C-alpha cells in the first residue's frame, strides 16, 4: 500500500475471470471488461435540487445561496432510485437482447448510470444508444494520532472554540472510502463519554451485517458501514479470506485514516508492550460512516469507488475523505473528466465537502494525482515529534538510527557479533546469500550469539516484505541475544525508514555511510588466528540508547519527499491547468493511529492495535477532521467556503518562524531541500484554530465549475456525456484562473491579464489593507489597495498581472489582505509560462 511510502514491486495482472459467465468451451470465451455507463437523464439528486428550488420559489423558508447551502437533513427524501434502476435493467435487456452480461451497480443519486461487465462489442452497442451519454472503461485505484492534535494546537485552540474535545465535531458525519474499519477498536466506541450522543437525524445509512461484521458492530459513533467489491469480484481477483466480503478492515489503512479524522479522544497507544501516549482524532466527537471499496490484495476499481461515493451522498454524509488516487492519469481532453471526479462534482453540488490525498508520487513536478478544483487536495508534511535511537560504540563514536525499542542500559557494553560470523556448521553464505538478514535461528550458533548484540543486514527484501524485522527479532530471542543492530545494505541508497516497534533492544541504522562506519569498527576489532585466519575474539562492543522517548525539537512542518507536487496536470500531454494543487499540507509523516487487529498492510504492526504510518493518506483525514470542526461551527457553509476557510488561514512558516521547507529528492531527502512553493504546499500548512475565524470567504459553486469545464477546448460533448447538461445553457465560460478560488494560478501569461476575486465577510465589520509580492518576471497591481467591508457584504478585488520577461520557469508571489481586527487572508500566486511580447517572423 502507498500509505507505507516504501519501495514496491507492483505486478499488474490484466485479464478477467468471470466463472458465472463461462461458456462451455473456454477457448471461445469473449474478452469481457467492466464499463461505467452514464445516461443523459439527470440523477435523483438533481431532482432533489429542483425540488429545493421549487420550494424556495413558492415561499419555502430559508435563503438558499452558495455560502448558505441547505443542511443535509432532508437528503433522505423519497427518491426515484428504484425506478431508475429498472430503467437501467430495461435498457440492457433491449440493447443486449439474448446476450450475456452482468450489471454490477445502478448509480442513481449523484450520477444516472450503471457499471456492467460486457465485451467491447457490447460496450459499443450501448454507446450507440441515444439514451446513453458516456461509456468509460473501469480503471484501478490505490490507497495513496498521538501528537498531531497538540502540534496543530487543538487542545488550546480549535477544540476550545467547539466546547472542548468532548463535543468537537458533534453532529457531523464523515464518510470514508477506504479499506474498511475494525469496529472493535476503542477509537470507535460510543460509550467513552457520559454526554448524550445521538446519531445525526440527517444521516440515513445502514450497517451491513456479515459473519466478519456481526450485528452490533455499528453504534452511535460508527453510524454506517458498507462494502463495494462487485467490479473486483467479476475479475476473479477477490479473495474473501484475505479481503473480507464485509466492511471489516483486513488491511489496516481504513481503520488508521478513520481514527486520524474522528477517533475517540484519550485512547492509550500501546505497541510492542511500550506505551506511546494517548491518541485522538481531529474531531473526536464526529460520527464515522464507512464505505469499503479498497482491498489489501488488489487495491480497488473506479466502478466500486463510484458506487461508494453515490451511496455516501445518498446516506447524507457531510464530508467525504478519500485517501485514494488513480493508478494512472485519466485519459481524454482533461484530467477532470473521469468517473470519480465527476461523481464528486455532484457530491459537492449536494453540499458535501470532499477531501482527497495528493498521492505519494513526489517529489517530481506534475506528480499530482488529485486534479479537480472542487476537490480539496492535501499534501503531507512532517510534524515535530521524532523518536531518536542511537548506538554508542567502543571507539567512542555514536551512530544515529531508528527503532521504537528499549536500550541495553547506560552502564554496560555488549559484544557485537555479525550474523555471518555466527553461522552453524551446516550453513554457509554460498547456500543462503540472505542469511545475514537473520530470518531463521536454525542457521546460527547459539553459543556465539547468546548474551551479545547480533548484527543483521537490512536490505530491499525488508521493504518488499520478503524479510521482516519480526522474524529477525524472533531469531535473536531464540538465540538469547541481548539485542539486534541492523545495518543498511549499500544498495539501498538514502532510504528513509519509519520507526519500527521492537520488543527487545534494537536499532536500525538507515544510512549506508553510517553502516560502513559500524562495520569498519567491527571488522577492525576482530582478532584472527595467524595461520587459519579464523576469528578467535570479537573485540567490538557497543550499547543501544533506545528509541522510546519522543523528542519535539525537530524543525517542522516540512514537505515530505513522497508528497505529490504541482503544477496540476490538465491532460496527458502534461499541459498545466490554471488550478493550484495541492490546496494545502497537513501532518502525514510518522502518524500514530488505530490499526485493525487483523490488519496486514504493515507486517511490523500485525497484531497491534495502533500503527505508525506515513503518506498523504494520513494527511487527508487530518483535514477531513478539521473540516468537521468548521462544518460544526458554520453548518450552512458550502464546500468551497470550507475550503476557503482552510486555505486563506494556512501558515507559511515552521515552528521556529522560518520558511516551510520541501524535500526535493528521494535519496537523502534532508540533504536535498529548499523553501516550499505553492506547488509543494499549496496555501501552506493547515491552521486549525485560525480556520474557525477566517474573516473573509471566497465562494464558488456548481455552476462556476460547470462554466470552467465548458471553457475547456472541445469539452462540450464530454460535459454533456457526464452531466447531461449542455454547455450552451451557460451564458459564458471561464478558465481556471477566473474561478473564485483563494489562489491564482496562470499556466500561460501572454503579456497581461486581469483576474477578479470576490470575497464575502462572515465576520464583523472590518477594514482591510492589501499588500502583495509579485512573482519573478511579473508585475502585478491589486485594486483596491484598502477597503471597508461590512458583515455579510461582498467585495470584488481586481488583480492586474503583466509579464515583464519571457520565461518558462514557474515563479511565485502572494497577495495579503490584512484586517484591522487581526484577520489575515493569504492568496498564493503562481505563474508558469511568461510571454512579455509576441514575436513574429517576417
Amino acid at each position: 500500500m502507498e500509505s507505507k511510502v516504501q519501495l514496491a514491486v507492483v505486478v499488474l495482472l490484466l485479464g478477467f475471470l468471470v466463472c458465472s459467465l463461462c461458456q462451455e468451451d473456454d477457448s471461445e470465451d469473449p474478452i469481457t471488461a467492466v464499463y461505467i455507463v452514464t445516461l443523459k437523464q439527470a440523477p435523483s439528486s438533481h431532482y432533489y435540487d429542483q425540488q429545493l428550488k421549487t420550494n424556495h420559489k413558492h415561499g419555502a423558508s430559508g435563503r438558499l445561496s452558495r455560502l448558505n447551502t441547505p443542511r443535509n437533513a432532508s437528503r433522505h427524501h423519497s427518491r426515484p432510485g428504484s425506478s431508475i434502476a429498472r430503467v437501467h435493467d430495461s435498457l440492457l435487456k433491449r440493447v443486449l437482447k439474448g446476450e450475456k452480461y452482468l450489471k454490477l451497480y445502478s448509480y442513481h443519486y449523484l450520477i444516472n448510470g450503471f457499471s456492467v461487465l460486457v465485451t467491447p462489442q457490447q460496450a459499443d452497442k450501448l454507446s450507440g444508444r441515444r439514451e446513453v451519454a458516456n461509456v468509460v472503461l473501469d480503471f484501478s485505484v490505490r490507497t495513496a494520532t498521538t501528537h498531531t492534535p497538540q502540534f496543530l494546537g487543538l487542545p488550546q485552540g480549535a477544540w476550545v472554540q467547539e466546547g472542548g474535545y468532548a463535543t468537537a465535531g458533534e453532529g457531523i458525519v464523515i464518510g470514508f472510502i477506504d479499506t474498511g474499519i475494525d469496529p472493535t477498536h476503542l477509537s470507535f466506541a460510543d460509550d467513552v463519554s457520559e454526554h448524550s450522543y445521538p446519531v445525526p437525524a440527517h444521516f440515513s445509512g445502514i450497517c451491513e451485517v456479515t459473519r466478519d461484521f456481526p450485528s452490533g458492530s455499528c453504534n452511535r459513533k460508527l453510524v454506517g458501514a458498507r462494502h463495494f467489491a462487485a467490479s473486483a469480484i467479476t475479475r476473479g481477483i477477490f479473495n474473501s479470506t484475505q479481503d473480507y466480503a464485509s466492511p471489516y478492515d483486513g488491511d489496516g489503512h481504513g481503520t488508521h485514516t478513520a481514527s486520524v479524522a474522528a477517533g475517540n479522544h484519550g485512547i492509550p497507544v500501546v505497541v510492542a508492550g511500550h506505551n506511546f501516549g494517548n491518541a485522538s482524532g481531529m474531531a473526536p466527537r464526529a460520527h464515522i460512516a464507512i464505505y469499503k471499496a479498497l482491498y489489501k490484495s488488489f487495491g480497488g476499481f473506479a466502478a466500486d469507488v463510484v458506487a461508494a461515493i453515490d451511496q455516501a451522498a445518498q446516506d447524507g454524509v457531510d464530508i467525504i475523505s478519500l485517501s485514494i488516487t488513480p493508478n494512472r492519469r485519466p485519459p481524454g481532453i482533461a484530467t477532470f473528466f473521469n468517473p470519480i471526479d465527476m461523481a464528486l462534482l455532484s457530491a459537492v453540488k449536494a453540499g458535501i465537502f470532499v477531501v482527497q490525498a495528493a498521492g505519494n508520487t513526489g517529489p517530481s513536478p506534475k506528480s499530482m494525482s488529485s486534479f479537480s478544483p472542487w476537490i480539496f487536495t492535501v499534501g503531507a508534511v512532517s510534524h515535530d515529534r521524532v523518536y531518536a535511537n542511537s548506538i554508542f560504540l567502543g571507539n567512542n563514536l555514536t551512530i544515529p538510527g531508528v527503532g521504537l525499542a528499549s536500550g541495553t542500559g547506560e552502564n554496560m557494553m555488549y559484544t557485537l557479533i555479525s550474523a555471518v560470523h555466527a553461522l552453524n556448521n551446516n550453513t554457509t553464505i554460498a547456500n543462503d546469500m540472505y542469511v545475514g538478514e537473520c530470518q531463521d535461528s536454525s542457521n546460527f550458533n547459539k553459543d556465539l550469539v547468546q548474551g551479545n548484540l547480533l548484527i543483521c543486514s537490512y536490505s530491499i527484501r525488508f521493504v518488499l516484505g520478503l524479510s521482516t524485522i519480526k522474524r529477525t527479532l524472533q531469531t535473536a530471542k531464540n538465540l538469547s541475544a541481548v539485542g539486534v543492530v541492523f545495518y543498511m545494505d549499500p544498495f539501498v541508497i538514502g532510504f528513509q525508514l519509519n520507526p519500527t516497534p521492537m520488543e527487545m533492544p534494537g536499532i536500525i541504522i538507515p544510512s549506508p555511510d553510517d553502516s560502513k562506519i559500524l562495520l569498519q569498527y567491527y571488522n577492525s576489532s576482530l582478532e584472527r588466528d595467524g595461520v587459519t585466519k579464523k576469528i578467535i575474539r570479537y573485540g567490538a562492543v557497543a550499547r543501544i540508547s533506545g528509541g522510546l522517548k519522543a523528542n519535539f525539537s525537530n524543525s517542522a512542518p516540512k514537505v515530505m519527499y513522497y508528497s505529490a507536487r504541482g503544477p496540476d496536470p490538465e491532460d496527458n500531454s502534461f499541459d498545466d491547468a490554471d488550478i493550484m494543487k495541492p490546496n494545502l499540507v497537513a501532518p502525514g509523516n510518522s502518524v500514530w493511529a488505530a490499526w485493525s487487529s487483523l490488519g496486514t498492510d504493515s507486517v511490523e504492526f500485525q497484531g497491534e492495535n495502533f500503527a505508525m504510518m506515513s503518506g498523504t493518506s494520513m494527511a487527508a483525514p487530518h483535514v477531513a477532521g478539521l473540516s468537521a470542526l468548521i462544518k460544526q461551527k458554520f453548518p450552512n457553509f458550502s464546500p468551497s467556503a470550507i475550503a476557503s476557510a482552510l486555505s486563506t488561514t494556512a501558515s507559511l512558516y515552521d515552528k521556529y518562524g522560518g520558511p516551510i521547507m520541501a524535500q526535493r529528492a528521494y535519496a537523502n531527502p534532508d540533504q536535498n531541500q529548499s523553501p516550499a512553493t505553492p506547488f509543494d504546499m499549496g496555501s501552506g500548512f493547515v491552521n486549525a484554530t485560525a480556520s474557525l475565524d477566517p474573516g473573509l470567504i471566497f465562494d464558488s459553486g456548481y455552476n462556476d465549475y460547470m462554466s470552467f469545464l465548458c471553457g475547456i477546448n472541445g469539452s462540450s460533448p464530454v460535459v454533456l456525456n457526464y452531466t447531461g447538461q449542455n454547455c450552451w445553457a451557460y451564458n459564458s465560460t471561464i478558465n481556471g484562473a477566473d474561478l473564485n478560488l483563494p489562489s491564482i494560478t496562470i499556466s500561460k501569461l501572454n503579456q497581461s491579464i486581469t483576474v477578479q476575486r470576490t470575497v464575502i465577510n462572515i465576520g464583523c465589520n472590518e477594514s482591510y489593507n492589501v499588500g502583495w509580492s509579485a512573482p519573478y518576471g511579473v508585475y502585478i497591481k491589486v485594486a483596491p489597495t484598502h477597503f471597508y467591508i461590512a458583515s455579510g457584504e461582498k467585495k470584488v478585488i481586481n488583480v492586474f498581472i503583466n509579464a515583464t520577461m519571457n520565461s518558462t520557469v514557474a515563479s511565485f508571489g502572494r497577495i495579503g489582505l490584512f484586517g484591522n481586527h487581526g484577520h489575515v487572508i493569504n492568496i498564493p500566486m503562481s505563474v508558469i509560462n511568461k510571454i512579455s511580447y509576441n514575436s513574429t517572423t517576417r
Side-chain angles (χ1 to χ4, degrees):
M1 289 288 184
E2 255 200 335
S3 61
K4 291 188 285 188
V5 195
Q6 61 179 25
L7 294 174
V9 173
V10 179
V11 178
L12 182 60
L13 177 62
L14 296 176
F16 309 99
L17 175 64
V18 189
C19 297
S20 61
L21 301 180
C22 288
Q23 305 289 325
E24 290 183 6
D25 182 0
D26 290 344
S27 65
E28 297 178 1
D29 279 358
I31 297 174
T32 58
V34 176
Y35 291 84
I36 300 172
V37 181
T38 52
L39 306 186
K40 293 177 181 177
Q41 185 181 6
S44 57
S45 64
H46 288 226
Y47 293 122
Y48 174 45
D49 188 55
Q50 291 300 319
Q51 182 184 9
L52 283 174
K53 291 178 180 176
T54 302
N55 291 343
H56 177 56
K57 194 176 191 179
H58 295 301
S61 63
R63 178 174 172 268
L64 299 181
S65 67
R66 287 181 188 164
L67 189 61
N68 192 23
T69 55
R71 186 83 173 144
N72 296 338
S74 56
R75 234 186 259 161
H76 55 284
H77 57 90
S78 177
R79 293 176 293 267
S82 58
S83 62
I84 289 178
R86 288 195 295 270
V87 170
H88 298 165
D89 294 336
S90 176
L91 174 65
L92 285 166
K93 287 178 182 177
R94 291 198 312 273
V95 178
L96 306 178
K97 198 176 301 181
E99 299 179 32
K100 292 189 175 183
Y101 63 87
L102 180 64
K103 189 185 81 168
L104 309 182
Y105 298 107
S106 274
Y107 312 123
H108 61 83
Y109 192 74
L110 295 178
I111 62 173
N112 180 3
F114 52 87
S115 54
V116 62
L117 182 78
V118 291
T119 66
Q121 293 75 23
Q122 290 174 315
D124 288 341
K125 286 183 182 180
L126 288 167
S127 183
R129 294 290 297 193
R130 68 177 183 276
E131 307 100 311
V132 173
N134 204 27
V135 178
V136 179
L137 183 67
D138 194 13
F139 56 89
S140 60
V141 297
R142 60 189 171 190
T143 54
T145 93
T146 54
H147 175 61
T148 49
Q150 284 74 22
F151 186 59
L152 292 167
L154 295 177
Q156 293 79 36
W159 284 350
V160 174
Q161 293 192 35
E162 302 290 0
Y165 69 81
T167 56
E170 194 164 81
I172 307 301
V173 180
I174 306 176
F176 297 88
I177 298 172
D178 214 298
T179 65
I181 196 167
D182 181 351
T184 67
H185 202 286
L186 282 176
S187 292
F188 313 120
D190 66 351
D191 57 358
V192 296
S193 171
E194 296 179 358
H195 297 287
S196 63
Y197 197 26
V199 175
H202 66 271
F203 183 76
S204 61
I206 66 167
C207 190
E208 284 184 18
V209 175
T210 70
R211 185 180 64 181
D212 307 315
F213 212 81
S215 177
S217 293
C218 288
N219 53 35
R220 293 170 298 167
K221 176 73 171 179
L222 176 57
V223 294
R226 301 173 185 249
H227 87 287
F228 303 83
S231 184
I233 291 170
T234 62
R235 291 164 159 81
I237 62 174
F238 187 86
N239 182 337
S240 60
T241 302
Q242 182 177 355
D243 295 315
Y244 299 97
S246 76
Y248 189 84
D249 183 10
D251 179 278
H253 188 274
T255 300
H256 198 277
T257 57
S259 71
V260 168
N264 286 326
H265 181 270
I267 307 302
V269 179
V270 179
V271 176
H274 307 302
N275 192 309
F276 294 97
N278 294 327
S280 175
M282 301 300 103
R285 197 66 170 172
H287 304 268
I288 293 169
I290 295 299
Y291 302 88
K292 178 180 174 180
L294 287 101
Y295 299 84
K296 166 63 179 174
S297 60
F298 56 85
F301 296 93
D304 295 326
V305 172
V306 171
I309 294 169
D310 194 65
Q311 189 63 60
Q314 183 179 332
D315 289 347
V317 302
D318 299 287
I319 296 157
I320 289 177
S321 180
L322 288 146
S323 286
I324 62 173
T325 57
N327 275 327
R328 58 183 174 87
R329 188 168 290 125
I333 64 170
T335 53
F336 320 116
F337 294 114
N338 68 80
I340 293 177
D341 283 35
M342 296 309 291
L344 292 172
L345 175 59
S346 291
V348 168
K349 183 182 182 183
I352 301 169
F353 183 63
V354 177
V355 185
Q356 185 177 25
N360 297 335
T361 48
S364 59
K366 300 188 188 183
S367 52
M368 186 57 53
S369 297
S370 175
F371 315 106
S372 299
W374 51 87
I375 298 172
F376 199 78
T377 304
V378 185
V381 294
S382 63
H383 52 90
D384 63 346
R385 183 194 59 210
V386 293
Y387 292 96
N389 202 340
S390 62
I391 181 170
F392 180 74
L393 305 179
N395 60 357
N396 291 324
L397 287 178
T398 299
I399 298 176
V402 297
L404 299 173
S406 59
T408 55
E410 294 186 8
N411 301 320
M412 184 78 176
M413 301 289 279
Y414 293 90
T415 299
L416 290 163
I417 183 165
S418 172
V420 297
H421 293 153
L423 302 178
N424 61 34
N425 294 331
N426 300 321
T427 305
T428 65
I429 297 176
N431 294 335
D432 183 357
M433 64 184 297
Y434 302 112
V435 69
E437 295 175 3
C438 307
Q439 297 297 290
D440 185 354
S441 58
S442 66
N443 291 325
F444 303 98
N445 184 334
K446 183 174 181 179
D447 292 336
L448 288 175
V449 177
Q450 187 170 2
N452 297 325
L453 288 172
L454 179 63
I455 300 177
C456 304
S457 63
Y458 187 102
S459 75
I460 192 68
R461 289 166 53 83
F462 284 83
V463 179
L464 301 177
L466 301 175
S467 296
T468 71
I469 289 175
K470 279 198 171 183
R471 284 203 294 268
T472 300
L473 295 176
Q474 189 58 53
T475 294
K477 287 180 182 177
N478 292 344
L479 299 173
S480 299
V482 171
V484 180
V485 179
F486 291 93
Y487 70 89
M488 188 62 65
D489 185 295
F491 294 105
V492 185
I493 300 173
F495 184 67
Q496 191 164 21
L497 291 170
N498 272 338
T500 302
M502 304 183 194
E503 294 181 341
M504 66 187 304
I507 185 172
I508 307 172
I509 301 172
S511 163
D513 291 337
D514 287 341
S515 296
K516 288 179 183 177
I517 293 172
L518 169 71
L519 295 178
Q520 286 170 355
Y521 166 65
Y522 171 79
N523 288 322
S524 66
S525 302
L526 294 173
E527 290 185 20
R528 295 179 181 271
D529 182 275
V531 177
T532 65
K533 303 300 181 185
K534 289 184 178 181
I535 300 172
I536 58 175
R537 180 174 174 272
Y538 300 91
V541 294
R543 69 169 182 265
I544 298 171
S545 66
L548 297 177
K549 188 175 181 181
N551 184 300
F552 300 97
S553 62
N554 231 27
S555 177
K558 181 186 300 179
V559 182
M560 299 306 297
Y561 63 90
Y562 51 78
S563 187
R565 310 298 167 92
D568 187 14
E570 183 170 285
D571 52 39
N572 273 310
S573 300
F574 281 92
D575 290 331
D576 300 316
D578 292 331
I579 306 295
M580 184 186 72
K581 291 291 180 179
N583 292 86
L584 51 62
V585 289
N589 202 62
S590 299
V591 176
W592 281 119
W595 196 245
S596 174
S597 57
L598 298 178
T600 58
D601 188 23
S602 174
V603 174
E604 311 308 341
F605 289 100
Q606 272 188 280
E608 302 288 356
N609 289 319
F610 283 86
M612 179 182 284
M613 305 294 284
S614 294
T616 56
S617 281
M618 283 67 249
H622 275 89
V623 173
L626 297 176
S627 66
L629 304 183
I630 299 174
K631 185 75 173 176
Q632 182 184 18
K633 183 174 181 179
F634 302 101
N636 294 320
F637 260 22
S638 68
S640 63
I642 296 173
S644 175
L646 288 162
S647 299
T648 61
T649 59
S651 173
L652 304 176
Y653 306 102
D654 67 18
K655 64 180 287 186
Y656 295 120
I660 294 174
M661 303 297 283
Q663 295 177 337
R664 302 290 178 196
Y666 179 85
N668 303 311
D670 281 333
Q671 282 73 55
N672 294 276
Q673 59 184 27
S674 60
T677 74
F679 291 161
D680 303 313
M681 66 174 182
S683 292
F685 178 65
V686 65
N687 186 328
T689 303
S691 68
L692 294 176
D693 183 22
L696 304 178
I697 287 294
F698 297 75
D699 199 36
S700 300
Y702 178 80
N703 289 339
D704 299 305
Y705 300 132
M706 286 294 291
S707 295
F708 159 69
L709 292 174
C710 288
I712 297 171
N713 189 33
S715 67
S716 292
V718 187
V719 171
L720 179 63
N721 288 347
Y722 271 112
T723 67
Q725 295 179 262
N726 284 296
C727 282
W728 56 258
Y730 294 87
N731 295 328
S732 61
T733 60
I734 59 176
N735 60 36
D738 293 320
L739 280 170
N740 196 44
L741 303 174
S743 60
I744 297 172
T745 303
I746 301 173
S747 60
K748 186 176 182 179
L749 177 60
N750 193 344
Q751 298 190 45
S752 64
I753 188 175
T754 298
V755 299
Q756 289 187 337
R757 292 293 185 266
T758 301
V759 295
I760 306 171
N761 186 6
I762 65 159
C764 300
N765 301 347
E766 195 162 4
S767 295
Y768 282 85
N769 290 317
V770 182
W772 61 85
S773 60
Y776 181 71
V778 175
Y779 167 82
I780 70 171
K781 182 174 178 60
V782 184
T785 56
H786 51 83
F787 60 90
Y788 170 84
I789 182 169
S791 178
E793 282 191 351
K794 296 182 178 180
K795 188 71 176 179
V796 175
I797 298 171
N798 294 285
V799 184
F800 173 74
I801 308 168
N802 181 64
T804 60
M805 63 183 294
N806 294 321
S807 175
T808 59
V809 178
S811 55
F812 309 96
R814 196 166 295 274
I815 298 171
L817 311 180
F818 304 93
N820 66 332
H821 293 316
H823 293 113
V824 177
I825 286 79
N826 285 304
I827 308 169
M829 290 188 65
S830 309
V831 182
I832 305 175
N833 293 299
K834 296 169 276 287
I835 304 171
S836 63
Y837 60 87
N838 287 323
S839 59
T840 57
T841 304
R842 296 183 181 275

